[in-house]
Amino acid sequence: MIKIVKVTGSSLSPFFLPDDYALIWRAPTRFNRLSPGDFVVFNHAAYGRLIKRILHNDPAEQYIEAAGLHADSITSQRMGKIPYSDIIGKVLWSFHHAG
């Protein structure tokens, strides 16, 4: 299933900017195939919906570790391990806002 989400922050600048859109692929059975460097959208209990880059994927334990690119982004240590159940989908494409 495909879904479009709107970007609201700048933690992944210059790849994603505020008001950009990301096309995501929602296929929970394939989260074990996510790779470091992939961008994913997920829900976090403390921070809400986030788009981050995968640092590590552990299919055996079914979690990822992720972080932003910007120095002010929430660190992977603060976010902790992200369980597969919190992942919304993998980013396939982004659309830049023509502002």
Side-chain angles (χ1 to χ4, degrees):
M1 177 181 201
I2 301 290
K3 181 176 181 168
I4 296 175
V5 297
K6 186 174 184 178
V7 177
T8 59
S10 60
S11 70
L12 292 171
S13 175
F15 293 100
F16 300 94
L17 302 173
D19 297 326
D20 283 355
Y21 291 91
L23 180 71
I24 62 171
W25 177 49
R26 300 175 60 169
T29 58
R30 298 201 178 238
F31 290 159
N32 62 331
R33 295 185 185 180
L34 294 171
S35 299
D38 288 342
F39 292 102
V40 291
V41 178
F42 58 91
N43 289 315
H44 191 279
Y47 302 110
R49 185 173 62 191
L50 300 170
I51 300 175
K52 300 293 179 194
R53 181 179 260 176
I54 293 178
L55 301 174
H56 175 74
N57 183 9
D58 186 338
E61 298 291 324
Q62 296 194 346
Y63 74 84
I64 62 165
E65 293 178 33
L69 302 175
H70 193 274
D72 293 334
S73 181
I74 303 164
T75 65
S76 63
Q77 292 81 10
R78 285 186 62 199
M79 280 189 290
K81 296 175 180 178
I82 311 300
Y84 283 5
S85 60
D86 290 346
I87 300 172
I88 297 169
K90 175 184 175 181
V91 176
L92 299 176
W93 197 265
S94 65
F95 304 89
H96 293 289
H97 175 70

